[in-house]
Amino acid sequence: IIVKLAEGQTIDLTVHCAKGIGRDHAKWSPVATATYRILPSIQFKKSLTQEQAKELVEMCPLDVFEIDPIDDKVSAKHPRRCTVCRECIRKPGWDDLIQLGRVRDHFIFNIESTGSVPPKQLVL
């Protein structure tokens, strides 16, 4: 609703519009933000003890690691959550147990639309 009119009221309006594309100016772009990052790679150089596994799960701020209840082994259950903050290898000796890297040919895109066009359609 732009305006509420009472009975008998009218609006005299002249409207001008212009169509544009994002190549001309950002105001025409249907994308609010578009970012990408490379998929993190988490590998265990050595097997961890039960105490080390619990410590690793507790020290990760993004809950990337999880202990399997069946065999009590730790794994990177949610690698996409990892931002490679290096918190898991910050303590002395942990860089000998865990290797952080990136999968160079795997990109994670995040596209936020302004609402005029759905994000799935923007990618196509």
Side-chain angles (χ1 to χ4, degrees):
I1 296 178
I2 296 174
V3 65
K4 288 185 178 182
L5 299 175
E7 192 173 323
Q9 289 183 323
T10 62
I11 294 177
D12 184 19
L13 180 69
T14 304
V15 178
H16 299 277
C17 68
K19 182 181 178 194
I21 58 174
R23 189 178 342 157
D24 297 335
H25 196 279
K27 67 183 174 186
W28 305 114
S29 177
V31 177
T33 57
T35 61
Y36 78 94
R37 64 187 184 102
I38 301 174
L39 179 70
S41 168
I42 305 165
Q43 297 177 349
F44 295 97
K45 295 179 184 177
K46 300 176 185 175
S47 60
L48 303 179
T49 64
Q50 185 126 15
E51 296 83 30
Q52 289 173 328
K54 287 180 183 178
E55 187 179 353
L56 178 63
V57 170
E58 290 173 4
M59 80 170 90
C60 181
L62 299 172
D63 295 325
V64 173
F65 302 101
E66 192 173 282
I67 297 175
D68 189 2
I70 297 171
D71 59 2
D72 288 335
K73 288 188 178 181
V74 68
S75 65
K77 189 74 171 182
H78 308 284
R80 288 179 180 244
R81 291 183 187 171
C82 183
T83 60
V84 193
C85 67
R86 303 175 54 89
E87 196 64 36
C88 59
I89 60 173
R90 197 170 305 280
K91 290 185 180 178
W94 280 92
D95 56 344
D96 297 331
L97 300 172
I98 300 171
Q99 180 178 356
L100 296 177
R102 299 188 187 271
V103 180
R104 295 286 174 203
D105 60 350
H106 191 130
F107 298 93
I108 301 170
F109 285 91
N110 182 17
I111 297 177
E112 187 177 313
S113 172
T114 58
S116 61
V117 180
K120 282 187 177 183
Q121 191 175 358
L122 290 173
V123 176
L124 299 177

PDB file of all heavy atoms in Angstrom, residues 3-15:
ATOM      1  N   VAL A   3      -0.596   4.505  -0.529  1.00  0.00           N
ATOM      2  CA  VAL A   3      -1.389   5.544   0.124  1.00  0.00           C
ATOM      3  C   VAL A   3      -2.817   5.036   0.298  1.00  0.00           C
ATOM      4  O   VAL A   3      -3.313   4.251  -0.501  1.00  0.00           O
ATOM      5  CB  VAL A   3      -1.364   6.855  -0.699  1.00  0.00           C
ATOM      6  CG1 VAL A   3      -2.037   6.680  -2.038  1.00  0.00           C
ATOM      7  CG2 VAL A   3      -1.969   8.007   0.064  1.00  0.00           C
ATOM      8  N   LYS A   4      -3.444   5.455   1.377  1.00  0.00           N
ATOM      9  CA  LYS A   4      -4.851   5.134   1.579  1.00  0.00           C
ATOM     10  C   LYS A   4      -5.679   6.363   1.205  1.00  0.00           C
ATOM     11  O   LYS A   4      -5.397   7.468   1.635  1.00  0.00           O
ATOM     12  CB  LYS A   4      -5.116   4.780   3.042  1.00  0.00           C
ATOM     13  CG  LYS A   4      -4.560   3.444   3.444  1.00  0.00           C
ATOM     14  CD  LYS A   4      -4.966   3.093   4.856  1.00  0.00           C
ATOM     15  CE  LYS A   4      -4.443   1.733   5.244  1.00  0.00           C
ATOM     16  NZ  LYS A   4      -4.863   1.351   6.592  1.00  0.00           N
ATOM     17  N   LEU A   5      -6.678   6.105   0.395  1.00  0.00           N
ATOM     18  CA  LEU A   5      -7.536   7.194  -0.061  1.00  0.00           C
ATOM     19  C   LEU A   5      -8.911   7.081   0.584  1.00  0.00           C
ATOM     20  O   LEU A   5      -9.455   5.985   0.734  1.00  0.00           O
ATOM     21  CB  LEU A   5      -7.697   7.144  -1.585  1.00  0.00           C
ATOM     22  CG  LEU A   5      -6.416   7.302  -2.410  1.00  0.00           C
ATOM     23  CD1 LEU A   5      -6.731   7.117  -3.886  1.00  0.00           C
ATOM     24  CD2 LEU A   5      -5.795   8.654  -2.160  1.00  0.00           C
ATOM     25  N   ALA A   6      -9.426   8.223   0.932  1.00  0.00           N
ATOM     26  CA  ALA A   6     -10.794   8.267   1.448  1.00  0.00           C
ATOM     27  C   ALA A   6     -11.754   8.291   0.260  1.00  0.00           C
ATOM     28  O   ALA A   6     -11.363   8.468  -0.894  1.00  0.00           O
ATOM     29  CB  ALA A   6     -10.997   9.501   2.325  1.00  0.00           C
ATOM     30  N   GLU A   7     -13.012   8.129   0.550  1.00  0.00           N
ATOM     31  CA  GLU A   7     -14.016   8.108  -0.504  1.00  0.00           C
ATOM     32  C   GLU A   7     -14.045   9.457  -1.218  1.00  0.00           C
ATOM     33  O   GLU A   7     -14.053  10.514  -0.598  1.00  0.00           O
ATOM     34  CB  GLU A   7     -15.395   7.820   0.090  1.00  0.00           C
ATOM     35  CG  GLU A   7     -16.432   7.507  -0.963  1.00  0.00           C
ATOM     36  CD  GLU A   7     -17.737   7.061  -0.334  1.00  0.00           C
ATOM     37  OE1 GLU A   7     -17.680   6.349   0.682  1.00  0.00           O
ATOM     38  OE2 GLU A   7     -18.780   7.444  -0.865  1.00  0.00           O
ATOM     39  N   GLY A   8     -13.945   9.396  -2.560  1.00  0.00           N
ATOM     40  CA  GLY A   8     -13.985  10.615  -3.360  1.00  0.00           C
ATOM     41  C   GLY A   8     -12.602  11.189  -3.661  1.00  0.00           C
ATOM     42  O   GLY A   8     -12.486  12.099  -4.464  1.00  0.00           O
ATOM     43  N   GLN A   9     -11.534  10.705  -3.028  1.00  0.00           N
ATOM     44  CA  GLN A   9     -10.196  11.210  -3.290  1.00  0.00           C
ATOM     45  C   GLN A   9      -9.587  10.485  -4.486  1.00  0.00           C
ATOM     46  O   GLN A   9      -9.881   9.316  -4.739  1.00  0.00           O
ATOM     47  CB  GLN A   9      -9.286  11.010  -2.074  1.00  0.00           C
ATOM     48  CG  GLN A   9      -9.612  11.912  -0.912  1.00  0.00           C
ATOM     49  CD  GLN A   9      -8.627  11.705   0.230  1.00  0.00           C
ATOM     50  OE1 GLN A   9      -8.200  10.594   0.488  1.00  0.00           O
ATOM     51  NE2 GLN A   9      -8.293  12.790   0.902  1.00  0.00           N
ATOM     52  N   THR A  10      -8.712  11.172  -5.207  1.00  0.00           N
ATOM     53  CA  THR A  10      -7.999  10.587  -6.344  1.00  0.00           C
ATOM     54  C   THR A  10      -6.535  11.030  -6.313  1.00  0.00           C
ATOM     55  O   THR A  10      -6.171  11.967  -5.606  1.00  0.00           O
ATOM     56  CB  THR A  10      -8.621  11.034  -7.677  1.00  0.00           C
ATOM     57  OG1 THR A  10      -8.511  12.459  -7.778  1.00  0.00           O
ATOM     58  CG2 THR A  10     -10.057  10.601  -7.814  1.00  0.00           C
ATOM     59  N   ILE A  11      -5.744  10.376  -7.111  1.00  0.00           N
ATOM     60  CA  ILE A  11      -4.329  10.731  -7.221  1.00  0.00           C
ATOM     61  C   ILE A  11      -4.050  11.038  -8.685  1.00  0.00           C
ATOM     62  O   ILE A  11      -4.419  10.268  -9.580  1.00  0.00           O
ATOM     63  CB  ILE A  11      -3.422   9.560  -6.769  1.00  0.00           C
ATOM     64  CG1 ILE A  11      -3.590   9.296  -5.286  1.00  0.00           C
ATOM     65  CG2 ILE A  11      -1.955   9.861  -7.076  1.00  0.00           C
ATOM     66  CD1 ILE A  11      -2.782   8.120  -4.779  1.00  0.00           C
ATOM     67  N   ASP A  12      -3.402  12.171  -8.916  1.00  0.00           N
ATOM     68  CA  ASP A  12      -2.952  12.529 -10.254  1.00  0.00           C
ATOM     69  C   ASP A  12      -1.467  12.195 -10.297  1.00  0.00           C
ATOM     70  O   ASP A  12      -0.664  12.802  -9.592  1.00  0.00           O
ATOM     71  CB  ASP A  12      -3.189  14.015 -10.521  1.00  0.00           C
ATOM     72  CG  ASP A  12      -2.832  14.407 -11.941  1.00  0.00           C
ATOM     73  OD1 ASP A  12      -2.758  13.508 -12.801  1.00  0.00           O
ATOM     74  OD2 ASP A  12      -2.614  15.612 -12.180  1.00  0.00           O
ATOM     75  N   LEU A  13      -1.093  11.208 -11.105  1.00  0.00           N
ATOM     76  CA  LEU A  13       0.251  10.673 -11.061  1.00  0.00           C
ATOM     77  C   LEU A  13       0.815  10.514 -12.466  1.00  0.00           C
ATOM     78  O   LEU A  13       0.150  10.019 -13.371  1.00  0.00           O
ATOM     79  CB  LEU A  13       0.212   9.297 -10.367  1.00  0.00           C
ATOM     80  CG  LEU A  13       1.504   8.540 -10.212  1.00  0.00           C
ATOM     81  CD1 LEU A  13       2.418   9.237  -9.228  1.00  0.00           C
ATOM     82  CD2 LEU A  13       1.201   7.130  -9.722  1.00  0.00           C
ATOM     83  N   THR A  14       2.057  10.950 -12.634  1.00  0.00           N
ATOM     84  CA  THR A  14       2.795  10.718 -13.864  1.00  0.00           C
ATOM     85  C   THR A  14       4.036   9.913 -13.481  1.00  0.00           C
ATOM     86  O   THR A  14       4.791  10.312 -12.598  1.00  0.00           O
ATOM     87  CB  THR A  14       3.220  12.046 -14.520  1.00  0.00           C
ATOM     88  OG1 THR A  14       2.053  12.836 -14.741  1.00  0.00           O
ATOM     89  CG2 THR A  14       3.935  11.799 -15.830  1.00  0.00           C
ATOM     90  N   VAL A  15       4.250   8.789 -14.153  1.00  0.00           N
ATOM     91  CA  VAL A  15       5.335   7.893 -13.793  1.00  0.00           C
ATOM     92  C   VAL A  15       6.265   7.708 -14.981  1.00  0.00           C
ATOM     93  O   VAL A  15       5.813   7.544 -16.113  1.00  0.00           O
ATOM     94  CB  VAL A  15       4.773   6.515 -13.362  1.00  0.00           C
ATOM     95  CG1 VAL A  15       5.892   5.560 -13.027  1.00  0.00           C
ATOM     96  CG2 VAL A  15       3.834   6.678 -12.192  1.00  0.00           C
TER      97      VAL A  15
END
